[in-house]
Amino acid sequence: MTQTEGAAATAARASRPGAGSKGRGERPAPGPGSGRGMSRMRRNDLFWAAVFILPTLLGLGVFYLWPVVRTLLISFTETGPFGGSEWVGLDNYATLLGDARLWETLLNTVKFTVVALLGIPIALVIAALLSTEGLRGVRVYRVLYFLPVVTMPAAVGLIWRTLYNGDVGVINAMLRAAGLEGTNWLSNPATALYAIAAVGIWLGLGTQIVIFLAAIQGVPKDLYEAASLDGAGRIRQFWSITLPQISPSVFFISVLAVIGALQTFDLIFVMTGPTNPAYPATETIVAQFYQRGFVENQQGYAAAIALVILVVIVAITALQFRLQKKWVHYV
Protein backbone atom coordinates (compact mmCIF):
# COMPACT_ATOMS: atom_id res chain seq x y z
CA MET A 1 0.00 0.00 0.00
CA THR A 2 1.35 3.37 -0.96
CA GLN A 3 1.60 6.28 1.48
CA THR A 4 -1.23 8.07 -0.26
CA GLU A 5 -3.56 5.04 0.04
CA GLY A 6 -2.70 4.64 3.76
CA ALA A 7 -3.52 8.26 4.50
CA ALA A 8 -6.86 7.90 2.69
CA ALA A 9 -7.74 4.76 4.69
CA THR A 10 -6.91 6.50 7.97
CA ALA A 11 -9.09 9.48 7.07
CA ALA A 12 -11.99 7.17 6.17
CA ARG A 13 -11.78 5.37 9.53
CA ALA A 14 -11.70 8.69 11.36
CA SER A 15 -14.86 9.87 9.57
CA ARG A 16 -16.92 6.83 10.58
CA PRO A 17 -19.62 7.24 13.33
CA GLY A 18 -18.24 6.38 16.75
CA ALA A 19 -14.63 6.95 15.73
CA GLY A 20 -12.21 8.62 18.07
CA SER A 21 -12.14 8.62 21.86
CA LYS A 22 -15.84 9.46 22.19
CA GLY A 23 -16.92 6.73 19.78
CA ARG A 24 -15.55 3.77 21.75
CA GLY A 25 -18.76 2.72 23.51
CA GLU A 26 -19.58 6.26 24.70
CA ARG A 27 -22.46 8.50 23.68
CA PRO A 28 -22.67 12.23 24.16
CA ALA A 29 -24.80 13.32 27.15
CA PRO A 30 -28.20 14.69 26.20
CA GLY A 31 -28.40 18.43 26.22
CA PRO A 32 -30.94 20.43 28.17
CA GLY A 33 -33.12 20.71 25.09
CA SER A 34 -33.12 17.03 24.11
CA GLY A 35 -36.31 14.96 24.11
CA ARG A 36 -35.13 12.59 26.84
CA GLY A 37 -34.25 15.44 29.21
CA MET A 38 -37.63 17.11 28.71
CA SER A 39 -39.59 13.88 29.24
CA ARG A 40 -37.65 13.11 32.41
CA MET A 41 -38.30 16.61 33.74
CA ARG A 42 -41.97 16.33 32.84
CA ARG A 43 -42.29 12.98 34.61
CA ASN A 44 -40.64 14.48 37.67
CA ASP A 45 -43.07 17.43 37.68
CA LEU A 46 -46.06 15.13 37.25
CA PHE A 47 -44.85 12.93 40.11
CA TRP A 48 -44.55 15.81 42.58
CA ALA A 49 -47.83 17.31 41.39
CA ALA A 50 -49.53 13.99 42.11
CA VAL A 51 -47.86 13.82 45.54
CA PHE A 52 -49.24 17.24 46.55
CA ILE A 53 -52.70 16.72 45.00
CA LEU A 54 -53.20 13.20 46.36
CA PRO A 55 -54.16 14.25 49.95
CA THR A 56 -56.84 16.58 48.58
CA LEU A 57 -58.16 13.92 46.22
CA LEU A 58 -58.26 11.40 49.05
CA GLY A 59 -60.16 13.87 51.23
CA LEU A 60 -62.67 14.56 48.46
CA GLY A 61 -63.12 10.88 47.80
CA VAL A 62 -63.47 9.79 51.44
CA PHE A 63 -65.52 12.70 52.82
CA TYR A 64 -67.54 13.81 49.76
CA LEU A 65 -67.75 11.30 46.91
CA TRP A 66 -68.04 8.11 48.96
CA PRO A 67 -70.84 9.50 51.21
CA VAL A 68 -72.80 10.43 48.09
CA VAL A 69 -72.36 6.94 46.64
CA ARG A 70 -73.20 5.35 50.00
CA THR A 71 -76.31 7.51 50.37
CA LEU A 72 -77.41 6.52 46.87
CA LEU A 73 -77.08 2.84 47.75
CA ILE A 74 -78.95 3.26 51.04
CA SER A 75 -81.79 5.07 49.25
CA PHE A 76 -82.63 1.78 47.52
CA THR A 77 -83.02 -0.08 50.82
CA GLU A 78 -85.37 -0.18 53.79
CA THR A 79 -84.10 -0.46 57.35
CA GLY A 80 -85.70 -3.07 59.56
CA PRO A 81 -86.97 -2.33 63.09
CA PHE A 82 -84.10 -4.32 64.63
CA GLY A 83 -81.38 -3.25 62.20
CA GLY A 84 -80.36 -4.65 58.88
CA SER A 85 -81.65 -3.52 55.53
CA GLU A 86 -83.62 -4.91 52.63
CA TRP A 87 -83.31 -3.95 48.97
CA VAL A 88 -86.53 -2.27 47.82
CA GLY A 89 -85.41 -0.64 44.59
CA LEU A 90 -87.26 2.57 43.70
CA ASP A 91 -89.98 2.18 46.34
CA ASN A 92 -88.56 5.00 48.47
CA TYR A 93 -88.60 7.39 45.53
CA ALA A 94 -92.15 6.37 44.60
CA THR A 95 -93.26 7.04 48.19
CA LEU A 96 -91.36 10.32 48.16
CA LEU A 97 -93.21 11.62 45.10
CA GLY A 98 -96.53 11.02 46.80
CA ASP A 99 -95.53 12.41 50.20
CA ALA A 100 -97.53 15.61 50.63
CA ARG A 101 -95.64 16.53 53.79
CA LEU A 102 -92.31 16.44 51.95
CA TRP A 103 -93.59 18.83 49.30
CA GLU A 104 -94.83 21.18 52.04
CA THR A 105 -91.38 21.24 53.62
CA LEU A 106 -89.83 21.89 50.21
CA LEU A 107 -92.19 24.85 49.76
CA ASN A 108 -91.20 26.15 53.21
CA THR A 109 -87.55 25.84 52.20
CA VAL A 110 -88.14 27.84 49.01
CA LYS A 111 -89.93 30.57 50.98
CA PHE A 112 -87.12 30.74 53.51
CA THR A 113 -84.54 30.96 50.71
CA VAL A 114 -86.35 33.77 48.91
CA VAL A 115 -86.61 35.82 52.11
CA ALA A 116 -82.98 35.10 53.00
CA LEU A 117 -81.88 36.54 49.64
CA LEU A 118 -83.21 39.93 50.74
CA GLY A 119 -80.10 40.18 52.90
CA ILE A 120 -77.94 40.69 49.80
CA PRO A 121 -79.25 44.18 48.87
CA ILE A 122 -79.22 45.13 52.57
CA ALA A 123 -75.57 44.10 52.87
CA LEU A 124 -74.76 45.86 49.62
CA VAL A 125 -76.27 49.16 50.78
CA ILE A 126 -74.49 48.94 54.15
CA ALA A 127 -71.17 48.18 52.43
CA ALA A 128 -71.66 51.13 50.07
CA LEU A 129 -72.32 53.44 53.03
CA LEU A 130 -69.29 52.11 54.94
CA SER A 131 -67.10 52.72 51.89
CA THR A 132 -67.87 56.43 52.00
CA GLU A 133 -64.61 58.34 51.82
CA GLY A 134 -63.65 59.95 55.12
CA LEU A 135 -66.01 57.85 57.24
CA ARG A 136 -64.54 57.11 60.65
CA GLY A 137 -64.85 53.89 62.63
CA VAL A 138 -65.19 51.60 59.61
CA ARG A 139 -63.21 48.86 61.37
CA VAL A 140 -65.49 49.05 64.39
CA TYR A 141 -68.56 48.68 62.19
CA ARG A 142 -66.95 45.69 60.46
CA VAL A 143 -66.39 43.97 63.78
CA LEU A 144 -69.91 44.69 64.98
CA TYR A 145 -71.50 43.36 61.81
CA PHE A 146 -69.21 40.33 61.75
CA LEU A 147 -69.83 39.25 65.36
CA PRO A 148 -72.94 37.17 64.54
CA VAL A 149 -70.93 35.18 61.99
CA VAL A 150 -68.58 33.79 64.67
CA THR A 151 -71.48 33.03 67.04
CA MET A 152 -72.98 29.56 67.16
CA PRO A 153 -76.39 29.42 65.42
CA ALA A 154 -77.83 27.53 68.37
CA ALA A 155 -76.86 30.33 70.75
CA VAL A 156 -78.24 32.93 68.34
CA GLY A 157 -81.50 30.99 68.09
CA LEU A 158 -81.92 30.87 71.86
CA ILE A 159 -81.28 34.60 72.20
CA TRP A 160 -83.69 35.55 69.44
CA ARG A 161 -86.32 33.17 70.76
CA THR A 162 -86.30 35.24 73.95
CA LEU A 163 -86.46 38.48 71.98
CA TYR A 164 -89.43 37.17 69.97
CA ASN A 165 -91.31 36.03 73.07
CA GLY A 166 -94.88 37.29 72.90
CA ASP A 167 -95.15 38.09 76.63
CA VAL A 168 -91.75 39.24 77.84
CA GLY A 169 -89.89 39.76 74.55
CA VAL A 170 -88.09 43.03 73.87
CA ILE A 171 -89.56 43.32 70.37
CA ASN A 172 -93.16 43.32 71.59
CA ALA A 173 -92.22 45.68 74.41
CA MET A 174 -90.87 48.16 71.88
CA LEU A 175 -93.98 47.79 69.75
CA ARG A 176 -96.23 48.43 72.76
CA ALA A 177 -94.19 51.51 73.60
CA ALA A 178 -94.89 52.75 70.07
CA GLY A 179 -98.60 52.06 70.44
CA LEU A 180 -98.56 48.89 68.32
CA GLU A 181 -99.68 45.40 69.19
CA GLY A 182 -97.25 42.54 68.67
CA THR A 183 -97.87 38.84 68.29
CA ASN A 184 -96.41 35.52 69.31
CA TRP A 185 -93.85 35.67 66.51
CA LEU A 186 -92.59 32.09 66.76
CA SER A 187 -95.91 30.47 67.67
CA ASN A 188 -97.94 32.11 64.95
CA PRO A 189 -97.79 30.05 61.71
CA ALA A 190 -98.25 33.22 59.67
CA THR A 191 -95.12 34.93 61.07
CA ALA A 192 -92.83 32.17 62.38
CA LEU A 193 -91.01 31.39 59.13
CA TYR A 194 -90.39 35.04 58.26
CA ALA A 195 -89.24 35.85 61.80
CA ILE A 196 -86.65 33.07 61.60
CA ALA A 197 -85.61 34.18 58.10
CA ALA A 198 -84.95 37.68 59.48
CA VAL A 199 -82.56 36.14 62.00
CA GLY A 200 -80.91 34.24 59.16
CA ILE A 201 -80.39 37.50 57.30
CA TRP A 202 -78.86 39.06 60.40
CA LEU A 203 -76.51 36.08 60.75
CA GLY A 204 -75.22 36.35 57.19
CA LEU A 205 -74.80 40.12 56.95
CA GLY A 206 -71.26 40.11 58.36
CA THR A 207 -69.74 37.88 55.70
CA GLN A 208 -71.59 39.61 52.89
CA ILE A 209 -70.61 43.11 54.05
CA VAL A 210 -66.92 42.20 54.33
CA ILE A 211 -66.87 40.73 50.81
CA PHE A 212 -68.76 43.68 49.33
CA LEU A 213 -66.46 46.16 51.07
CA ALA A 214 -63.41 44.46 49.58
CA ALA A 215 -65.01 44.48 46.13
CA ILE A 216 -66.02 48.16 46.33
CA GLN A 217 -62.55 49.18 47.43
CA GLY A 218 -61.18 47.46 44.33
CA VAL A 219 -63.19 49.63 41.92
CA PRO A 220 -60.86 52.12 40.15
CA LYS A 221 -61.25 55.64 41.51
CA ASP A 222 -60.82 57.10 38.04
CA LEU A 223 -64.28 55.86 37.10
CA TYR A 224 -65.88 57.83 39.93
CA GLU A 225 -63.87 60.94 39.09
CA ALA A 226 -64.94 60.78 35.45
CA ALA A 227 -68.56 60.25 36.46
CA SER A 228 -68.40 63.23 38.81
CA LEU A 229 -67.08 65.43 36.01
CA ASP A 230 -70.05 64.32 33.91
CA GLY A 231 -72.42 65.36 36.69
CA ALA A 232 -73.37 61.91 38.02
CA GLY A 233 -74.44 61.83 41.66
CA ARG A 234 -73.68 59.11 44.21
CA ILE A 235 -76.81 57.10 43.44
CA ARG A 236 -76.13 57.23 39.71
CA GLN A 237 -72.50 56.22 40.32
CA PHE A 238 -73.65 53.28 42.42
CA TRP A 239 -75.97 51.91 39.72
CA SER A 240 -73.71 52.65 36.74
CA ILE A 241 -70.25 52.00 38.18
CA THR A 242 -70.22 50.26 41.55
CA LEU A 243 -72.85 47.60 40.89
CA PRO A 244 -71.53 46.47 37.47
CA GLN A 245 -67.95 46.44 38.74
CA ILE A 246 -68.73 44.27 41.78
CA SER A 247 -71.29 42.04 40.02
CA PRO A 248 -68.97 38.97 40.28
CA SER A 249 -68.99 39.39 44.07
CA VAL A 250 -72.78 39.76 44.06
CA PHE A 251 -73.04 36.54 42.07
CA PHE A 252 -70.66 34.75 44.46
CA ILE A 253 -72.64 35.88 47.50
CA SER A 254 -75.94 34.89 45.90
CA VAL A 255 -74.70 31.35 45.24
CA LEU A 256 -73.49 30.97 48.83
CA ALA A 257 -76.70 32.46 50.23
CA VAL A 258 -78.94 30.10 48.25
CA ILE A 259 -76.94 27.01 49.21
CA GLY A 260 -76.85 28.04 52.87
CA ALA A 261 -80.59 28.79 52.97
CA LEU A 262 -81.50 25.48 51.35
CA GLN A 263 -79.49 23.65 54.02
CA THR A 264 -80.86 25.55 57.03
CA PHE A 265 -81.83 23.31 59.92
CA ASP A 266 -80.27 24.17 63.29
CA LEU A 267 -81.61 27.73 63.52
CA ILE A 268 -85.20 26.68 62.77
CA PHE A 269 -85.01 23.63 64.99
CA VAL A 270 -83.75 25.67 67.97
CA MET A 271 -86.15 28.58 67.55
CA THR A 272 -89.31 26.52 67.07
CA GLY A 273 -88.87 22.76 67.50
CA PRO A 274 -91.34 19.89 66.95
CA THR A 275 -93.44 20.86 69.99
CA ASN A 276 -94.17 24.34 68.63
CA PRO A 277 -97.63 24.68 67.04
CA ALA A 278 -96.05 26.69 64.20
CA TYR A 279 -93.37 24.08 63.47
CA PRO A 280 -95.19 22.57 60.45
CA ALA A 281 -95.13 26.03 58.83
CA THR A 282 -91.38 26.36 59.41
CA GLU A 283 -90.15 22.80 58.87
CA THR A 284 -87.64 22.63 56.02
CA ILE A 285 -86.73 19.67 53.85
CA VAL A 286 -83.51 19.18 55.83
CA ALA A 287 -85.57 18.99 59.01
CA GLN A 288 -87.75 16.38 57.33
CA PHE A 289 -84.60 14.42 56.49
CA TYR A 290 -83.59 14.56 60.17
CA GLN A 291 -87.07 13.47 61.30
CA ARG A 292 -87.23 10.47 58.98
CA GLY A 293 -83.64 9.33 59.38
CA PHE A 294 -82.82 9.93 63.05
CA VAL A 295 -86.19 9.99 64.80
CA GLU A 296 -88.26 7.48 62.82
CA ASN A 297 -85.24 5.40 61.73
CA GLN A 298 -86.33 5.32 58.09
CA GLN A 299 -82.79 5.50 56.81
CA GLY A 300 -83.55 4.45 53.25
CA TYR A 301 -86.28 7.05 52.88
CA ALA A 302 -84.08 9.69 54.54
CA ALA A 303 -81.30 8.89 52.07
CA ALA A 304 -83.74 9.44 49.21
CA ILE A 305 -84.65 12.84 50.71
CA ALA A 306 -80.95 13.69 50.99
CA LEU A 307 -80.48 12.99 47.30
CA VAL A 308 -83.48 15.18 46.49
CA ILE A 309 -81.83 17.98 48.46
CA LEU A 310 -78.62 17.43 46.51
CA VAL A 311 -80.43 17.51 43.17
CA VAL A 312 -82.32 20.70 44.12
CA ILE A 313 -79.12 22.48 45.18
CA VAL A 314 -77.24 21.41 42.05
CA ALA A 315 -80.13 22.42 39.78
CA ILE A 316 -80.55 25.87 41.33
CA THR A 317 -76.78 26.48 41.33
CA ALA A 318 -76.57 25.45 37.68
CA LEU A 319 -79.44 27.83 36.88
CA GLN A 320 -77.59 30.65 38.65
CA PHE A 321 -74.45 29.97 36.64
CA ARG A 322 -76.55 29.96 33.49
CA LEU A 323 -78.22 33.27 34.25
CA GLN A 324 -75.07 35.02 35.45
CA LYS A 325 -73.88 35.37 31.85
CA LYS A 326 -76.57 38.00 31.32
CA TRP A 327 -75.79 40.31 34.24
CA VAL A 328 -72.31 39.56 35.64
CA HIS A 329 -69.51 41.66 34.13
CA TYR A 330 -65.99 40.30 34.47
CA VAL A 331 -63.31 42.95 34.04
Side-chain angles (χ1 to χ4, degrees), residues 77 272 278:
T77 64
T272 54

Side-chain angles (χ1 to χ4, degrees), residues 51-259:
V51 168
F52 286 111
I53 294 176
L54 186 60
T56 302
L57 293 179
L58 288 176
L60 289 174
V62 173
F63 297 107
Y64 288 91
L65 298 180
W66 171 243
V68 173
V69 174
R70 181 62 178 167
T71 302
L72 177 62
L73 295 176
I74 295 176
S75 68
F76 297 118
T77 64
E78 181 179 355
T79 305
F82 301 101
S85 59
E86 178 185 358
W87 186 268
V88 295
L90 297 176
D91 289 353
N92 288 325
Y93 292 96
T95 305
L96 185 147
L97 292 176
D99 190 349
R101 182 59 196 152
L102 181 69
W103 293 107
E104 291 176 4
T105 59
L106 182 59
L107 180 60
N108 292 338
T109 305
V110 172
K111 291 180 181 178
F112 184 89
T113 303
V114 172
V115 177
L117 288 176
L118 296 177
I120 296 179
I122 296 175
L124 186 57
V125 171
I126 295 175
L129 293 175
L130 292 180
S131 62
T132 303
E133 189 174 355
L135 181 64
R136 296 182 179 181
V138 175
R139 295 182 179 179
V140 177
Y141 289 121
R142 285 181 182 176
V143 173
L144 292 177
Y145 280 114
F146 200 77
L147 278 178
V149 179
V150 297
T151 307
M152 293 296 294
V156 172
L158 291 174
I159 294 173
W160 277 92
R161 190 169 68 178
T162 303
L163 296 176
Y164 276 133
N165 188 280
D167 298 324
V168 297
V170 176
I171 295 177
N172 278 356
M174 296 174 61
L175 291 175
R176 284 192 293 268
L180 301 175
E181 187 65 29
T183 183
N184 293 319
W185 299 97
L186 298 179
S187 300
N188 187 349
T191 59
L193 182 66
Y194 304 104
I196 299 173
V199 179
I201 293 174
W202 179 75
L203 272 174
L205 277 180
T207 302
Q208 297 173 4
I209 289 173
V210 169
I211 295 177
F212 284 146
L213 275 174
I216 292 174
Q217 291 173 358
V219 177
K221 303 299 181 183
D222 299 342
L223 298 177
Y224 294 110
E225 294 175 359
S228 298
L229 293 176
D230 290 339
R234 290 185 57 85
I235 297 179
R236 182 62 178 175
Q237 292 178 17
F238 175 81
W239 286 105
S240 301
I241 299 176
T242 304
L243 194 57
Q245 289 288 319
I246 67 171
S247 56
S249 298
V250 177
F251 169 65
F252 173 71
I253 289 295
S254 65
V255 172
L256 292 184
V258 169
I259 294 176

